[in-house]
């Protein structure tokens, strides 16, 4: 009986989710005619700012980006955005967006696979383009994400997608660009016998995991050399790590873990390493720089990791990484409902040391470079995809962020979402109630 009730509850929750999904706007049609935005301040994404600028694009590609007086307006549909700001579309790395919808319904959670070592798992094939959350994210200027699996030691491969598509195939910007490794946590004895007995068991488990990883990486190196008689999907998926065609995303926060993980990857010939999380990145900045390791920093809006750290350490870490010469990007971690706050993470970094344009680059061009898609997106330059947003105010400021236009590959994206629909619905309801005469007034009139 308990099992029956549980499944009935899950079915009801799914039914409740269906009407909400019907409110997701349909993807925009392909760009049919040239468009030119004029009169706004252009934030290129590479540090340059152009006042009174124009941006033109045709067939989804940028054809002009510069001063308005240098633009040829003939043949373009001109959109006057005078007084506003044009930015590259923001990019959220390390995200489960589209992989997790209704927390209480297991069937809608596709962000992890069974088992510990799953380098062959492709997260993008589970990406749900009809997620209710996607339109709410676009409304704040986030137009791309890195669909990332979680769980286990090796979670699988991630892909970069744009956020306005009919299906995952349409959404792909770059497929299977990297493999995600969750580095096993180091354990510290406490001096408490009961606790340390548990830590002993955990340490044994960690050593077992390390041996399994060692074997997997060695086997993958041998497999890449062609020394095999049959196809092995796990090993085949890892071969790109050794020729640089795929990145290794090493998820680790503490300094010793980062050092241990990077040394492990280097020992096995991994060419391109990115540390994700990286709360202690400043403490090991010299090591990261010497090994040419990039960082995706999580947790700007967080508490310090240690009691002795400055209370604003997470806020100023992006500035300290920039000062140390470490290539880095910012992310909002795996809290998918919070991804809409990605621009404000960058805004906080700007308030604590980064130049405003450097902060913008940390969620646009820097991210594109780390993910390997900077030739297509990340900045507003001729030849790149016309993936950009227009905001009536400062995009990185929570008080003034007001996205009025969004274009993905030149397509004019519908900025409506479930929250806006509900807001309008109840706004109309209460306005109607205020305007309708009360029964007492009606009686007095009679």
């Amino acid at each position: 009986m308990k099992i029956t009730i549980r499944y009935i509850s899950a079915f009801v929750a799914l039914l409740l989710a269906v009407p909400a999904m019907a409110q997701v706007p349909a993807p925009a049609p392909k760009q049919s005619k040239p468009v030119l935005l004029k009169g706004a301040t252009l934030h290129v994404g590479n540090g340059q700012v152009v006042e009174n600028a124009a941006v033109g694009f045709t067939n989804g590609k940028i054809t002009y980006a510069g001063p308005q007086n240098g633009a040829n307006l003939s043949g373009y549909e001109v959109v006057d955005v005078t007084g506003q700001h044009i930015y590259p579309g923001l990019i959220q790395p390390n995200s489960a967006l589209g992989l997790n919808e209704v927390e209480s319904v297991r069937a809608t959670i596709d962000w992890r696979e069974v088992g510990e070592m799953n380098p062959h798992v492709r997260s993008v094939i589970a990406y749900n383009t009809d997620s209710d959350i996607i339109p709410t994210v676009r409304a704040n200027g986030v137009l791309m994400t890195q669909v990332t699996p979680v769980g286990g030691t090796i979670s699988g491969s991630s892909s970069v997608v744009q956020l306005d598509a009919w299906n995952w195939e349409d959404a792909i910007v770059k497929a299977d660009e990297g493999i995600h490794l969750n580095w096993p946590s180091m354990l510290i004895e406490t001096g408490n016998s009961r606790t340390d007995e548990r830590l002993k068991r955990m340490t044994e488990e960690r050593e077992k995991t390390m041996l399994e990883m060692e074997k997997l990486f060695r086997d993958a190196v041998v497999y890449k050399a062609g020394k095999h008689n049959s196809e092995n999907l796990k090993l085949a998926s890892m071969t790109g790590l050794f020729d640089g065609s795929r990145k290794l995303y090493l998820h680790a926060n503490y300094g010793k873990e980062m050092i241990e993980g990077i040394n492990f990857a280097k020992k096995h010939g991994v060419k391109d390493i990115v540390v994700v999380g990286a709360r202690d990145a400043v403490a090991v900045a010299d090591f990261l720089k010497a090994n040419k390791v990039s960082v995706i920093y999580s947790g700007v809006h967080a508490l310090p990791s240690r009691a002795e750290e400055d209370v604003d350490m997470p806020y100023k870490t992006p500035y300290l990484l920039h000062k140390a010469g470490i290539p880095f990007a910012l992310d909002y971690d795996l809290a998918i409902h919070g991804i809409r706050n990605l621009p404000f993470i960058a805004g906080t970094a700007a308030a604590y040391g980064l130049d405003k344009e450097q902060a913008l680059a940390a969620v646009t061009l820097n991210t594109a470079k780390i993910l390997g898609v900077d030739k297509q997106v990340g900045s507003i330059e001729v030849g790149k995809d016309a993936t950009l947003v227009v905001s009536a105010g400062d995009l990185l400021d929570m008080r003034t962020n007001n996205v009025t236009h969004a274009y993905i590959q030149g397509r004019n994206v519908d900025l409506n979402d479930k929250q806006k629909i509900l807001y309008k619905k109840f706004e109309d309801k209460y306005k109607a109630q205020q305007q309708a005469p009360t029964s007492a007034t009606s009686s007095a009139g009679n």
Side-chain angles (χ1 to χ4, degrees):
M1 175 62 84
K2 288 183 179 180
I3 294 175
T4 303
I5 292 172
R6 185 180 65 174
Y7 281 107
I8 289 173
S9 301
F11 180 70
V12 170
L14 267 176
L15 289 178
L16 291 174
V18 170
M21 290 177 68
Q23 299 180 34
V24 176
K30 187 176 180 179
Q31 184 183 4
S32 59
K33 52 188 174 182
V35 174
L36 187 132
L37 310 175
K38 74 177 185 73
T41 299
L42 170 61
H43 303 262
V44 177
N46 60 5
Q48 297 179 2
V49 178
V50 182
E51 301 289 345
N52 195 23
V55 176
F57 43 96
T58 304
N59 297 323
K61 296 292 184 180
I62 297 171
T63 54
Y64 180 81
Q68 181 180 323
N69 57 18
N72 180 3
L73 305 184
S74 62
Y76 284 94
E77 176 189 349
V78 177
V79 180
D80 190 348
V81 288
T82 300
Q84 300 193 54
H85 299 262
I86 303 174
Y87 299 89
L90 307 190
I91 309 169
Q92 162 70 21
N94 184 38
S95 166
L97 183 64
L99 301 181
N100 182 14
E101 193 70 10
V102 183
E103 291 282 357
S104 60
V105 182
R106 177 65 186 89
T108 72
I109 303 174
D110 292 318
W111 59 4
R112 68 179 298 158
E113 190 54 84
V114 176
E116 290 295 312
M117 305 290 178
N118 296 305
H120 58 300
V121 168
R122 302 180 67 215
S123 60
V124 73
I125 64 174
Y127 175 65
N128 174 25
T129 55
D130 287 321
S131 169
D132 267 345
I133 304 166
I134 290 174
T136 68
V137 167
R138 293 192 309 229
N140 272 7
V142 182
L143 302 185
M144 284 164 290
T145 190
Q146 180 193 34
V147 182
T148 304
V150 301
T153 303
I154 301 181
S155 306
S157 68
S158 58
S159 296
V160 182
V161 299
Q162 50 86 4
L163 300 182
D164 186 56
W166 287 104
N167 50 54
W168 65 266
E169 293 96 335
D170 294 341
I172 286 176
V173 176
K174 188 173 184 179
D176 304 316
E177 38 74 41
I179 291 177
H180 292 256
L181 167 60
N182 300 299
W183 194 253
S185 299
M186 287 184 166
L187 305 167
I188 303 173
E189 293 185 5
T190 64
N192 182 309
S193 59
R194 290 181 61 187
T195 303
D196 286 343
E197 182 61 35
R198 178 170 171 267
L199 286 176
K200 182 181 177 181
R201 293 195 301 271
M202 292 172 67
T203 300
E204 291 172 354
E205 209 43 51
R206 183 179 194 271
E207 290 173 354
K208 179 183 175 183
T209 299
M210 295 290 286
L211 289 173
E212 289 175 357
M213 278 199 304
E214 183 79 29
K215 182 179 185 306
L216 183 63
F217 272 79
R218 284 183 177 176
D219 288 349
V221 171
V222 172
Y223 187 90
K224 185 180 185 304
K227 299 176 182 178
H228 57 85
N229 297 321
S230 60
E231 185 177 9
N232 184 308
L233 293 179
K234 281 190 175 184
L235 301 181
S237 67
M238 295 180 64
T239 56
L241 296 176
F242 311 118
D243 61 18
S245 60
R246 281 190 176 185
K247 297 176 187 287
L248 178 67
Y249 293 96
L250 176 69
H251 293 250
N253 275 307
Y254 296 104
K256 289 183 178 180
E257 293 172 0
M258 285 189 271
I259 291 172
E260 185 182 37
I262 291 166
N263 284 336
F264 174 90
K266 289 281 188 180
K267 180 181 74 172
H268 291 287
V270 176
K271 299 293 185 184
D272 198 341
I273 305 168
V274 179
V275 176
V276 182
R279 295 291 294 272
D280 272 357
V282 174
V284 293
D286 290 342
F287 179 82
L288 295 174
K289 190 172 182 179
N291 285 277
K292 298 180 180 178
V293 173
S294 302
V295 165
I296 295 176
Y297 178 68
S298 305
V300 172
H301 287 177
L303 293 172
S305 301
R306 300 174 180 82
E308 65 272 16
E309 288 183 346
D310 294 343
V311 70
D312 58 358
M313 187 63 185
Y315 305 159
K316 65 185 181 182
T317 291
Y319 166 70
L320 296 175
L321 289 174
H322 172 75
K323 190 176 178 182
I326 306 298
F328 74 95
L330 301 179
D331 86 89
Y332 202 84
D333 211 342
L334 289 165
I336 54 175
H337 294 85
I339 293 173
R340 62 181 180 271
N341 293 321
L342 179 65
F344 313 136
I345 291 290
T348 298
Y352 281 81
L354 279 185
D355 174 86
K356 205 60 169 286
E357 301 307 312
Q358 292 168 350
L360 175 64
V363 289
T364 55
L365 186 57
N366 288 8
T367 311
K369 287 179 178 178
I370 289 174
L371 301 183
V373 293
D374 54 302
K375 294 188 184 303
Q376 299 162 261
V377 293
S379 59
I380 301 176
E381 299 177 85
V382 173
K384 289 191 175 184
D385 289 352
T387 299
L388 51 92
V389 296
V390 181
S391 175
D394 184 347
L395 190 69
L396 307 188
D397 188 340
M398 189 180 293
R399 298 165 299 178
T400 61
N401 173 300
N402 180 16
V403 175
T404 59
H405 303 75
Y407 297 88
I408 294 179
Q409 297 169 344
R411 295 176 290 110
N412 192 356
V413 177
D414 188 340
L415 290 173
N416 211 1
D417 60 50
K418 180 182 176 182
Q419 293 174 352
K420 290 178 181 177
I421 291 170
L422 292 175
Y423 180 87
K424 183 70 168 59
K425 173 182 175 180
F426 289 102
E427 181 186 42
D428 291 346
K429 173 188 176 183
Y430 292 118
K431 278 184 178 178
Q433 288 179 349
Q434 290 171 354
Q435 293 169 0
T438 63
S439 56
T441 305
S442 300
S443 301
N446 292 332

